Amino acid sequence: MAANERKGIVLSIAGSDPSGGAGIQADLKTMAVLGVYGAAAVTCLTVQNTSEVAALVPVAPELVREQIRLVLADLPVTHVKIGMIGTAAVARAVGAALDGFAGEVVYDPVLRATAGADLMEPAALAAVRAEVISRATVLTPNLAELHALTSASGDRPGELRAAGRQLLADFPRLRAVAIKGGHGPVHHGSVTDYLVRRSPDPASPSCLEATHPWVDTRNSHGTGCTFASAFAAFHLLTGSDDEAFTRAAAFVHRLLAASAGSRLGGGTGPLLHHLLREER
Ligand code: PLP
């Protein structure tokens, strides 16, 4: 067995994007390029390209549960990465399938597609909180997702850190909240991601920042999925939240820069993971 598989593998639980830019397709590309084995259980079929989301077809909850159950029963899954959940019934199925799973759970709380379509029923949020976020060890919201999950509405660093702290207080299993700055304000041509970590003193959890130059590109489809998958892969490889966060942020930045010149599709173009296949 190769060295990395001895450490474990990552199971992605997410929607399918047939254009290959986001969802399980982005997750598996990220894991492959980072040298980690990825398995995938599909929660929803999306009918989309780079310009539009034409349909969403949730997978039957019992099939979601059984995909996860069979993979967990057979393969050495140490890390689960969760993306699009879509409906309350799928949230409950994922929660039931992960009952008893004691490994890492990195949840990217996907609400909307980059192209603008809603990817989560508003009524599903309560079940997502109770069944999925309650089982997560790391949460990776963007600004809009952070606002939907907390009472925060601003984008100043102090407000983001406070919102991260609120999530750590609400969900005892969460160890860290990685807030992606890509949808937030661009300060002096740079963008900052924040990792709000639980610390022994609940009143002052520590925060790590990763700042990178802003990449002016339309090719940002799948950046959220890629960040969360890279976090899971780097956590598997290093065992450290700080390393996983810092390296995932740098990886997404390199990928945005490397993919900026491509013209794939007429809308929000995808990241080209294969361009970084020599980099670890
Ligand atoms: N999951 C699926 C299946 C999607 O289709 C999308 C966006 O279209 C996302 C997740 C979120 O994508 P992003 O990584 O761009 O936030």
Side-chain angles (χ1 to χ4, degrees), residues 1-279:
M1 207 188 257
N4 290 345
E5 282 78 64
R6 227 176 285 131
K7 288 186 173 171
I9 70 164
V10 183
L11 166 62
S12 162
I13 301 172
S16 162
D17 171 2
S19 74
I24 56 165
Q25 287 81 354
D27 294 347
L28 293 178
K29 290 176 196 180
T30 301
M31 292 165 204
V33 89
L34 295 179
V36 166
Y37 184 91
V42 183
T43 55
C44 181
L45 298 180
T46 74
V47 179
Q48 67 174 301
N49 57 23
T50 64
S51 303
E52 64 169 320
V53 180
L56 301 173
V57 184
V59 173
E62 57 276 19
L63 293 183
V64 174
R65 199 185 58 231
E66 285 302 282
Q67 289 176 76
I68 299 167
R69 194 180 66 76
L70 259 71
V71 172
L72 291 181
D74 185 41
L75 299 171
V77 177
T78 51
H79 290 63
V80 166
K81 179 263 158 184
I82 305 177
M84 180 182 175
I85 293 287
T87 66
V90 169
R92 284 190 287 272
V94 169
L98 291 181
D99 226 17
F101 176 73
E104 293 294 326
V105 178
V106 178
Y107 176 38
D108 180 24
V110 174
L111 297 180
R112 310 197 88 207
T114 325
D118 284 329
L119 297 179
M120 168 113 70
E121 290 174 357
L125 208 51
V128 162
R129 293 176 76 91
E131 299 287 344
V132 184
I133 305 184
S134 64
R135 289 183 167 82
T137 51
V138 177
L139 200 63
T140 66
N142 62 27
L143 199 56
E145 292 156 356
L146 188 72
H147 291 165
L149 294 173
T150 67
S151 55
S153 55
D155 58 20
R156 291 200 306 275
E159 293 171 279
L160 301 183
R161 282 193 291 268
R165 282 200 294 273
Q166 187 184 335
L167 287 165
L168 291 172
D170 288 351
F171 298 98
R173 193 159 185 237
L174 269 186
R175 213 173 42 236
V177 181
I179 301 165
K180 296 168 293 187
H183 296 70
V186 180
H187 288 298
H188 310 297
S190 67
V191 64
T192 300
D193 301 313
Y194 300 85
L195 185 72
V196 184
R197 299 169 291 195
R198 196 180 289 284
S199 77
D201 175 5
S204 59
S206 52
C207 183
L208 186 66
E209 296 183 9
T211 298
H212 293 95
W214 170 256
V215 180
D216 188 14
T217 176
R218 67 171 194 168
N219 301 329
S220 60
H221 187 56
T223 44
C225 306
T226 296
F227 177 88
S229 294
F231 190 109
F234 281 125
H235 190 278
L236 188 154
L237 295 171
T238 67
S240 155
D241 288 338
D242 291 5
E243 284 280 319
F245 169 73
T246 306
R247 293 202 200 181
F251 176 71
V252 171
H253 170 70
R254 280 202 306 279
L255 206 39
L256 280 164
S259 312
S262 91
R263 283 290 169 270
L264 270 187
T268 307
L271 299 172
L272 306 181
H273 299 77
H274 54 283
L275 295 180
L276 300 191
R277 67 189 178 280
E278 301 300 335
E279 288 189 36

